[in-house]
Amino acid sequence: MSVTSGIRKVVTVVDEVLLELGRPVATPVRRVAAAAVIRNPWAGRGFVADLQPEVEEIAPGLAHLLTGRLVETLGGVDRIEAFGKAAMVGVDGEIEHGGALIHTPYFGNVLRELTEATSIIVFSDDRLRAGEPLTVPLWHKTAAATRSHYQTCQIRVPDAPRPDEIVVVAAASSGPRPNARIGDRLTDPVVRLADLDALENAR
């Protein structure tokens, strides 16, 4: 099955926060989730021991397609600072079917290379009925420990996934959370349980 013949629709969701508690955000950020709704190639076949042939055939094309949507929507690879991935499996499929399409190098390495990234890609996956939302986590594409870029975006496709479908998602952000200000690992104090116990006892 080629990617184009198996895709029923592509959905792109854009979220841009301009105000938080009535205050303009320091850095306006766009978060984008691009989703491809495809027929589950393993649906109706019972337990399939080897998922690899379909993964090799389908996953790279999905990664190319969805990353292209992210790059186009955000205005270039250099505008992508954080990324994530996800899969929603219809009720006739296994969670492993979604995982097969997003967790192997055939998807992840392609997404990483096309976004000029080095981080492991944070993810979410679930078995859902059509129209149920999925929250996709994001973090920095080259410095996963950069706390300011820990964020999420949500995507919902009203008519997907159907029972025999999978929704494959790639997501990205052009910057940090709105008004991020909780510091980072490089500026954190050293915190130990003994220190916390002493602080509690002193109260």
Side-chain angles (χ1 to χ4, degrees):
M1 179 184 72
S2 69
V3 173
T4 52
S5 66
I7 292 178
R8 180 164 69 82
K9 67 191 305 184
V10 178
V11 176
T12 303
V13 176
V14 182
D15 176 85
E16 186 170 4
V17 178
L18 303 177
L19 296 173
E20 281 284 288
L21 295 177
R23 180 189 182 96
V25 298
T27 305
V29 169
R30 302 183 86 197
R31 291 182 297 232
V32 179
V37 180
I38 71 167
R39 180 178 58 81
N40 183 340
W42 303 286
R45 295 170 55 187
F47 179 82
V48 178
D50 184 7
L51 307 180
Q52 190 75 1
E54 291 81 6
V55 169
E56 293 179 9
E57 183 181 359
I58 298 169
L62 287 175
H64 272 278
L65 171 68
L66 297 177
T67 307
R69 293 297 177 99
L70 299 180
V71 172
E72 179 183 4
T73 304
L74 289 177
V77 173
D78 59 329
R79 295 287 296 149
I80 294 176
E81 293 189 12
F83 66 174
K85 60 185 179 180
M88 293 181 270
V89 182
V91 295
D92 286 349
E94 296 180 64
I95 293 292
E96 188 71 358
H97 296 162
L101 292 179
I102 66 171
H103 291 323
T104 71
Y106 295 96
F107 186 89
N109 283 6
V110 175
L111 172 58
R112 199 165 15 248
E113 186 170 342
L114 291 175
T115 55
E116 299 177 358
T118 56
S119 296
I120 293 174
I121 308 169
V122 67
F123 73 94
S124 63
D125 52 35
D126 206 349
R127 182 188 290 109
L128 299 171
R129 297 186 183 278
E132 292 188 281
L134 184 69
T135 298
V136 187
L138 310 172
W139 63 25
H140 201 286
K141 71 177 186 179
T142 60
T146 303
R147 194 177 294 134
S148 60
H149 286 63
Y150 293 171
Q151 55 195 300
T152 61
C153 64
Q154 190 175 86
I155 186 163
R156 184 182 74 87
V157 182
D159 64 345
R162 293 172 180 170
D164 62 348
E165 290 182 332
I166 301 174
V167 181
V168 177
V169 183
S173 170
S174 64
R177 290 188 314 278
N179 297 335
R181 56 191 186 278
I182 59 172
D184 212 336
R185 293 188 180 185
L186 296 178
T187 59
D188 283 345
V190 176
V191 178
R192 300 182 180 88
L193 288 175
D195 299 328
L196 296 175
D197 290 340
L199 180 63
E200 182 65 25
N201 292 333
R203 288 176 178 170

